[in-house]
């Protein structure tokens, strides 16, 4: 989304001698991702403020992203679509958190089912970037480690009676479980190939 701006910034860095010209492609690519990330974080913060749920939005985002890195799942075809889908995921998560405490039993069941889906499915790779056997093992191992750490944190929040933080972590699992299922469906529809343990 910020490719043009990133190139201008990179050109300015080259003209001021901050980086060498042969680093332009790499630096402009990195700058594009930095700007995209900053925009997304700003949008997430605004959404959290609108809902008056900034701590929940922040913890949800951290929990979701840390696990998403290793779990994989559905990927949008353009950065703009990715941003829009991510924003809707956050809004849906915050709405879900608002009803979590009044529907604790249903929320606990959804959380348990989501955790099982994550354990069974991750990682779900993209058809355009399949993982070989070694990569699948690495991503799965790291994903399970992150899931375990988040589970421990959620138990601490629950036992301490901080339900809004507990629900933020668990809602990240619920949203990510849906994203993994969507990724599997997309892979089946687009290519009929899952790369399950294949090199």
């Amino acid at each position: 989304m910020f490719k043009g701006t990133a190139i201008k910034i990179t050109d300015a860095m080259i003209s001021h001698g901050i980086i060498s010209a042969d680093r332009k492609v790499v630096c402009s690519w990195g700058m594009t991702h930095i700007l995209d990330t900053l925009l997304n974080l700003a949008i997430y913060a605004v959404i959290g403020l609108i809902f008056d749920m900034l701590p929940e939005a922040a913890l949800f985002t951290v929990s979701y992203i840390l696990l998403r890195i290793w779990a994989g799942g559905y990927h949008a075809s353009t950065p703009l679509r990715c941003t829009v889908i991510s924003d809707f995921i956050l809004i849906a998560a915050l709405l879900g958190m608002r009803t979590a405490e009044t529907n604790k039993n249903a929320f606990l069941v959804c959380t348990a089912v989501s955790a099982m889906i994550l354990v069974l499915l991750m990682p779900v790779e993209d058809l355009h970037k399949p993982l070989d056997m070694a990569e699948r093992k690495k991503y799965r191992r790291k994903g399970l480690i992150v899931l375990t750490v988040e589970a421990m944190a959620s138990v601490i929040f629950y036992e301490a009676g901080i339900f809004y933080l507990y629900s933020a972590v668990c809602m990240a699992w619920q949203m990510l479980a849906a994203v993994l299922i969507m990724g599997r469906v997309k892979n089946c529809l687009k290519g009929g190939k899952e790369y399950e343990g294949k090199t």
Side-chain angles (χ1 to χ4, degrees):
M1 285 173 49
F2 288 99
K3 187 175 181 180
T5 304
I7 290 172
K8 289 178 182 177
I9 293 172
T10 305
D11 286 339
M13 292 170 72
I14 292 170
S15 66
H16 286 86
I18 299 171
I19 60 170
S20 58
D22 63 335
R23 302 285 295 164
K24 179 176 178 177
V25 174
V26 173
C27 290
S28 62
W29 178 86
M31 187 61 66
T32 300
H33 284 275
I34 289 170
L35 294 173
D36 283 342
T37 301
L38 291 174
L39 174 65
N40 289 333
L41 290 175
I43 292 172
Y44 298 160
V46 169
I47 292 172
L49 289 170
I50 289 172
F51 280 82
D52 195 23
M53 299 173 72
L54 188 57
E56 294 94 323
L59 184 56
F60 168 85
T61 301
V62 170
S63 301
Y64 181 87
I65 290 175
L66 288 177
L67 199 49
R68 171 90 148 114
I69 291 168
W70 305 109
Y74 177 85
H75 286 279
S77 55
T78 67
L80 179 59
R81 288 181 184 175
C82 179
T83 297
V84 171
I85 291 171
S86 297
D87 295 341
F88 276 110
I89 286 174
L90 178 58
I91 291 169
L94 294 177
L95 290 172
M97 284 180 236
R98 281 193 168 172
T99 63
E101 195 158 10
T102 55
N103 299 283
K104 277 188 179 180
N105 290 336
F107 187 78
L108 290 170
V109 170
C110 289
T111 298
V113 171
S114 298
M116 285 191 291
I117 291 171
L118 293 176
V119 170
L120 291 172
L121 295 187
M122 70 177 164
V124 174
E125 63 264 69
D126 189 79
L127 282 171
H128 300 293
K129 191 185 174 186
L131 303 174
D132 61 29
M133 178 71 81
E135 290 172 324
R136 284 187 62 82
K137 287 181 178 178
K138 173 188 172 183
Y139 276 60
R140 180 169 178 77
R141 183 179 70 252
K142 301 234 175 172
L144 290 173
I145 290 171
V146 174
L147 183 62
T148 301
V149 171
E150 290 185 1
M152 292 168 63
S154 69
V155 169
I156 292 170
F157 292 142
Y158 188 86
E159 291 298 323
I162 315 173
F163 194 82
Y164 70 97
L165 294 183
Y166 162 80
S167 66
V169 176
C170 295
M171 189 57 74
W173 300 354
Q174 294 179 31
M175 293 292 111
L176 188 53
V179 168
L180 293 191
I181 292 170
M182 287 168 59
R184 279 291 184 96
V185 171
K186 177 187 173 184
N187 289 347
C188 289
L189 293 177
K190 289 286 180 80
K193 190 176 181 184
E194 297 279 345
Y195 302 101
E196 292 287 340
K198 298 179 183 177
T199 58

